[in-house]
Amino acid sequence: MVITFTSSIRPCCSHLLLSQIFPKYPYHFSKSRKHPNRYEVVAQAASTAQPLHPTFDPVPSTGIPTPILLHELKPLEISPLLPFPEKSRTVDPVRHEPTRRTETVAEREAWKLLNRAVVNYCGKPVGTVAAADVGAFKGDLLNYDQVFIRDFMPSALAFLLKGDTEIVRNFLLHTLQLQSWEKTVDCHSPGQGLMPASFKVRTAPIDGNTSGEEEVLDPDFGESAIGRVAPVDSGLWWIILLRAYGKITGDFSLLERVDVQTGIKLILKLCLSDGFDMFPTLLVTDGSCMIDRRMGIHGHPLEIQSLFYSALRCAREMLGFNEGSADLIRAINIRLSSLSFHIREYYWVDLQKLNEIYRYKTEEYSQNATNKFNIYPEQIPDWLVDWIPDSGGYLIGNVQPAHMDFRFFSLGNLWAIVSSLTTPKQAEGILSLIEEKWDDLIGTMPLKISYPALESDEWRIITGSDPKNTPWSYHNGGSWPTLLWQFTLACIKMGRPDLAQRAISTAEKRLLDDNWPEYYDTPTGRFVGKQSRLYQTWTIAGFLTSKLLLEKPELASILTFEEDNELLEGCACRLSHNGRTRCSRRTAKSQLLGKSS
Ligand code: GLC
């Protein structure tokens, strides 16, 4: 069978079966390209895969593939969800048993809007638009009419927590198709595992047929995006969502599919490939994540590292067990342990650590240097000296040679708690700082995307005089209500649902009255953002997901991870309980190789 794809993905209704497009078993396509496409990669991967488990033998005569043994993933042991809307329940804080309650006006409205934001492809739901603000900016929707991978996360979770899994399954499979897209920016092709930032459903004439039209999926990998930035976070979110879907539905048949397994491996290959790096953190350009414009977050921004760590842990659970994956799992384990050491040690600041930095010696040339990155103490910003509380602390935004970005970035810190990238004590410290600095980070609308804002020369130089990112607006110190769901998740993990409840109560009525804006401006979030869209889907979905997580806190485990002690034991440079152990190359090597030094 020969299937030719031209400029768009067309797995649509009329001439192809879905199973042919998303083969559960290896299909052999004869389409040749400069780069092998997904089907060739899938077919190659399937033909070379050898089972490690002796009871799972391939049956070549029938063409039925080797069953894949998932590495670690276990379904959640939870009571089945009740049908919605009867399922509106709350958790009695004392007995932790669900009790029925009626939805609030804001919740009812939010569900109505979320359902309205659903995008269909060939009659099936595949995602939600970024914003359904038809009246916005004289109809100039930019790309807000597209389905963004990162924006769909809270929508997917709201649907999953409600028991509606079809849209999430379709989304996972369709975006997987787009991963193998031939993408070029001025004759250059980015890596094969890249996931798009967003996609749109368009209608196009059927090939060779002047009368008919069909729906096609049209992705954007950054070739059209402002600044032409590759969305590094998309693939990481995709892996995180895949695990959440698997855990809540128990639908492991999806995770075991050869194309899905190949998709995970392609993303990992991109992330784990060798480069010039000296650090275990991922090196990216500015604007490669939720902050998708120039904001001085190039290099090793915290948000990417937290998502990377989380995606590695998810992938490790989901990878099939065979010879091919054994090396990959080993590589993941090594990266996980060095990444967590690096972040816990070098990104963490509290009063004590700041005081250490303040007294740093510089220009140390040696392997035992204390000030490894040659940070000049003058970099400690004035605002931080008074701002850092006596107890608690946070992970700073970026660490590079001779540079520490001391800004507080919410998503990176929250996701570091959720994925156990931090130590439990650091996780407590971050929540305690947020509580202490409530007026600055939550104010009248949760949650600051970054704190504080870049002003004057810093704004001019770092943002390139970006008129959208003026001080205390948008990515530059604006408040983003979508971050509520990540805050709720972190609070539940740390046993502080009261904090999440407080933030949700602050947001609920205002979001409804203001028509669910994308972001708010000013230091305390008092104004609706200057260029903010209304009816922003991830604002709506973030609110609903937060509510659902608070009702069923045990479901937070579809996204969270506990500390992995084996990883810590395997790491030569693990943190001791009451102080920091310096990482020495010799001990690190001998412990990683399992020899004594
Ligand atoms: C903005 C945000 C980005 C989001 C997109 C769609 O560009 O910075 O994170 O994905 O809007 O909502």
Side-chain angles (χ1 to χ4, degrees):
M1 175 179 23
V2 177
I3 295 178
T4 30
F5 290 102
T6 49
S7 58
S8 310
I9 289 282
R10 298 170 183 189
C12 210
C13 349
S14 53
H15 47 283
L16 287 175
L17 290 171
L18 208 64
S19 61
Q20 292 170 319
I21 292 301
F22 302 132
K24 175 157 182 171
Y25 302 134
Y27 281 80
H28 295 272
F29 294 89
S30 63
K31 188 170 175 351
S32 71
R33 279 184 186 171
K34 194 169 128 215
H35 303 292
N37 64 21
R38 164 166 303 284
Y39 307 110
E40 287 156 349
V41 175
V42 168
Q44 282 160 17
S47 64
T48 54
Q50 294 294 322
L52 277 186
H53 197 289
T55 57
F56 287 99
D57 285 326
V59 190
S61 55
T62 58
I64 298 172
T66 311
I68 293 171
L69 196 61
L70 290 184
H71 193 59
E72 276 180 18
L73 193 66
K74 293 184 189 71
L76 275 182
E77 283 172 14
I78 46 169
S79 48
L81 297 168
L82 297 174
F84 215 75
E86 295 75 31
K87 189 166 54 66
S88 300
R89 296 180 290 177
T90 187
V91 173
D92 178 311
V94 184
R95 287 168 31 242
H96 282 275
E97 276 177 10
T99 50
R100 284 179 191 280
R101 71 165 175 87
T102 34
E103 284 176 329
T104 62
V105 179
E107 285 168 62
R108 266 202 303 281
E109 177 71 5
W111 276 116
K112 203 171 80 197
L113 294 169
L114 183 61
N115 285 322
R116 207 180 282 165
V118 168
V119 171
N120 285 305
Y121 175 55
C122 300
K124 303 261 187 229
V126 290
T128 47
V129 281
D133 188 1
V134 278
F137 302 94
K138 301 198 184 94
D140 181 9
L141 292 171
L142 296 174
N143 49 0
Y144 283 87
D145 60 347
Q146 305 213 3
V147 179
F148 277 74
I149 309 297
R150 70 176 76 85
D151 293 41
F152 184 64
M153 273 305 290
S155 299
L157 293 168
F159 287 124
L160 285 179
L161 295 171
K162 176 187 154 199
D164 183 354
T165 59
E166 188 204 352
I167 185 171
V168 181
R169 184 185 162 88
N170 293 343
F171 170 87
L172 287 166
L173 289 175
H174 281 288
T175 44
L176 182 63
Q177 277 296 300
L178 300 174
Q179 186 190 34
S180 59
W181 194 263
E182 262 182 295
K183 20 194 186 275
T184 47
V185 181
D186 296 339
C187 310
H188 171 72
S189 305
Q192 244 208 326
L194 189 66
M195 283 281 184
S198 59
F199 66 85
K200 192 176 163 69
V201 178
R202 293 187 202 280
T203 47
I206 296 172
D207 286 342
N209 181 341
T210 44
S211 55
E213 280 196 328
E214 65 182 340
E215 287 185 340
V216 292
L217 288 184
D218 195 359
D220 175 23
F221 292 90
E223 319 96 294
S224 317
I226 297 161
R228 302 289 184 268
V229 179
V232 179
D233 63 341
S234 288
L236 306 174
W237 281 125
W238 184 85
I239 290 181
I240 294 168
L241 182 59
L242 184 65
R243 174 195 182 241
Y245 170 86
K247 278 193 85 98
I248 204 164
T249 60
D251 176 10
F252 291 161
S253 62
L254 182 96
L255 276 59
E256 290 165 359
R257 285 166 54 137
V258 178
D259 55 348
V260 172
Q261 289 282 314
T262 306
I264 300 173
K265 287 181 188 159
L266 286 177
I267 297 170
L268 294 177
K269 200 170 152 232
L270 261 190
C271 295
L272 297 173
S273 60
D274 291 336
F276 290 102
D277 274 319
M278 298 294 285
F279 309 141
T281 34
L282 263 190
L283 178 63
V284 298
T285 52
D286 215 341
S288 61
C289 50
M290 176 181 180
I291 296 181
D292 55 1
R293 297 162 81 92
R294 189 171 146 188
M295 265 293 289
I297 56 162
H298 52 277
H300 304 92
L302 177 66
E303 174 170 337
I304 289 289
Q305 316 313 327
S306 297
L307 295 177
F308 180 35
Y309 183 82
S310 183
L312 285 180
R313 290 200 62 176
C314 293
R316 194 176 61 161
E317 282 186 4
M318 296 187 293
L319 277 173
F321 225 176
N322 59 33
E323 240 170 54
S325 62
D327 281 349
L328 189 54
I329 289 167
R330 209 167 299 126
I332 292 176
N333 279 333
I334 292 173
R335 191 61 170 260
L336 280 171
S337 88
S338 53
L339 183 60
S340 68
F341 173 79
H342 188 89
I343 297 286
R344 291 169 180 202
E345 180 70 2
Y346 305 123
Y347 281 61
W348 177 255
V349 292
D350 53 16
L351 188 59
Q352 184 200 336
K353 180 74 182 285
L354 265 188
N355 206 159
E356 267 171 45
I357 300 171
Y358 180 70
R359 292 164 53 80
Y360 264 169
K361 287 198 203 64
T362 56
E363 322 288 340
E364 291 177 283
Y365 181 84
S366 105
Q367 285 191 9
N368 299 322
T370 309
N371 182 4
K372 284 187 180 150
F373 307 107
N374 199 34
I375 304 298
Y376 297 102
E378 290 72 14
Q379 272 182 38
I380 298 175
D382 292 344
W383 64 265
L384 188 55
V385 176
D386 296 324
W387 197 73
I388 194 83
D390 290 341
S391 60
Y394 67 101
L395 298 172
I396 61 173
N398 214 325
V399 174
Q400 316 227 56
H403 174 67
M404 282 180 140
D405 182 346
F406 287 98
R407 280 174 294 170
F408 176 90
F409 289 89
S410 294
L411 203 161
N413 272 282
L414 296 174
W415 211 259
I417 297 177
V418 168
S419 62
S420 280
L421 173 57
T422 58
T423 64
K425 192 154 180 276
Q426 288 174 337
E428 266 171 35
I430 295 170
L431 275 197
S432 129
L433 176 132
I434 295 177
E435 194 175 9
E436 172 100 18
K437 299 290 166 188
W438 194 267
D439 291 346
D440 292 332
L441 301 176
I442 310 274
T444 60
M445 177 52 67
L447 209 67
K448 277 268 167 285
I449 193 167
S450 60
Y451 179 91
L454 299 169
E455 305 195 60
S456 315
D457 281 348
E458 271 196 326
W459 167 76
R460 262 189 295 282
I461 295 163
I462 295 175
T463 72
S465 303
D466 186 345
K468 201 163 174 184
N469 272 333
T470 49
W472 304 109
S473 182
Y474 201 46
H475 300 142
N476 187 14
S479 301
W480 290 65
T482 184
L483 293 169
L484 253 185
W485 75 269
Q486 333 228 11
F487 181 55
T488 305
L489 200 54
C491 290
I492 290 173
K493 165 132 192 261
M494 299 310 297
R496 295 295 313 269
D498 56 306
L499 285 183
Q501 187 60 65
R502 190 173 153 204
I504 295 169
S505 310
T506 305
E508 179 155 0
K509 182 159 183 323
R510 199 154 168 227
L511 287 179
L512 178 69
D513 291 348
D514 293 345
N515 296 323
W516 313 93
E518 179 186 16
Y519 66 96
Y520 285 79
D521 285 355
T522 80
T524 53
R526 292 195 71 194
F527 294 170
V528 172
K530 222 182 326 174
Q531 294 191 42
S532 176
R533 307 282 140 168
L534 302 181
Y535 305 104
Q536 182 81 18
T537 306
W538 67 354
T539 299
I540 297 162
F543 164 74
L544 287 173
T545 297
S546 307
K547 285 269 184 154
L548 289 165
L549 282 171
L550 277 186
E551 281 170 25
K552 272 260 180 194
E554 64 278 20
L555 291 183
S557 65
I558 64 172
L559 294 152
T560 57
F561 284 98
E562 295 305 321
E563 179 79 291
D564 180 340
N565 290 321
E566 276 175 33
L567 274 182
L568 284 187
E569 275 155 27
C571 181
C573 24
R574 65 182 179 269
L575 299 177
S576 61
H577 283 304
N578 41 15
R580 293 185 193 88
T581 325
R582 298 234 158 72
C583 179
S584 114
R585 191 185 286 186
R586 250 179 59 222
T587 47
K589 196 171 167 195
S590 63
Q591 291 207 18
L592 284 176
L593 295 176
K595 294 179 195 150
S596 56
S597 53

